[in-house]
Amino acid sequence: MEEENKWTLLASILPGGIELNELSEDECEVTDGENTIKVISNDTSYVVNGRTISFEDTDPEIINTLVVPFIMQELDGNRRF
């Protein structure tokens, strides 16, 4: 079974109205129609809008579940952490 693209997996759990545009294997842009931020993946860390969040776990499902609120916080400015 072929492994799914990390951005496809992440996009599948983003809230409705949020779009993810893959720029490369390690970089994407996330937009809510008004704001756009860049997300860069580095193994078990992500740089979201210039801020880094790191994970000890390597399971993509766990990482994505945790990184989505961080992405949303950076995108809309509503504090979640």
Side-chain angles (χ1 to χ4, degrees), residues 30-58:
V30 179
T31 185
D32 65 1
E34 294 177 19
N35 303 311
T36 301
I37 60 170
K38 188 176 287 188
V39 178
I40 302 168
S41 170
N42 297 312
D43 296 320
T44 59
S45 69
Y46 281 78
V47 178
V48 179
N49 202 31
R51 298 180 66 193
T52 302
I53 185 171
S54 298
F55 303 95
E56 289 185 22
D57 202 303
T58 59

Side-chain angles (χ1 to χ4, degrees), residues 11-28:
S12 71
I13 63 170
L14 286 171
I18 307 299
E19 295 182 24
L20 186 146
N21 180 31
E22 181 178 346
L23 301 176
S24 71
E25 183 178 327
D26 296 323
E27 191 172 341
C28 74

